[in-house]
Amino acid sequence: FSLRSYIAVICGGLAMTLIMIPFNLIVTPIFMGVPIEEVLKMIIPIIVPFNLIKAGVNVFFGIHIYCAIYYATKKFTIVLDKI
């Protein structure tokens, strides 16, 4: 996994966090039954940190799953080449 790949997934995680802010403003009042003003108060202390943690977990597992699949298919290709 190259440095460019790490930069790409970090940028993707940050983009996901930024995109989720307006969606949380729409969805959170519906599910929690609170006014949008209350949700605006929760953006910085609750919603943004939650989305950053969620993006970090997604990036962590995404990288590990990608690497596992990549190396498994690489080994499988090497085995097929020997047949």
Side-chain angles (χ1 to χ4, degrees):
F1 219 66
S2 68
L3 177 63
R4 293 174 94 185
S5 300
Y6 283 112
I7 292 171
V9 295
I10 289 170
C11 289
L14 291 174
M16 182 182 87
T17 300
L18 291 174
I19 291 169
M20 287 307 296
I21 291 172
F23 285 110
N24 278 304
L25 288 173
I26 296 167
V27 174
T28 305
I30 295 169
F31 282 112
M32 292 181 65
V34 295
I36 220 167
E37 293 81 19
E38 292 296 317
V39 177
L40 286 170
K41 292 177 189 174
M42 292 189 292
I43 289 288
I44 299 298
I46 298 171
I47 294 175
V48 170
F50 172 78
N51 284 322
L52 285 171
I53 292 169
K54 182 176 69 166
V57 170
N58 287 340
V59 165
F60 176 80
F61 284 110
I63 288 172
H64 284 81
I65 290 170
Y66 169 79
C67 288
I69 291 171
Y70 175 78
Y71 289 118
T73 57
K74 194 172 185 179
K75 286 182 181 180
F76 183 69
T77 305
I78 292 170
V79 170
L80 287 180
D81 289 341
K82 291 182 180 180
I83 293 178

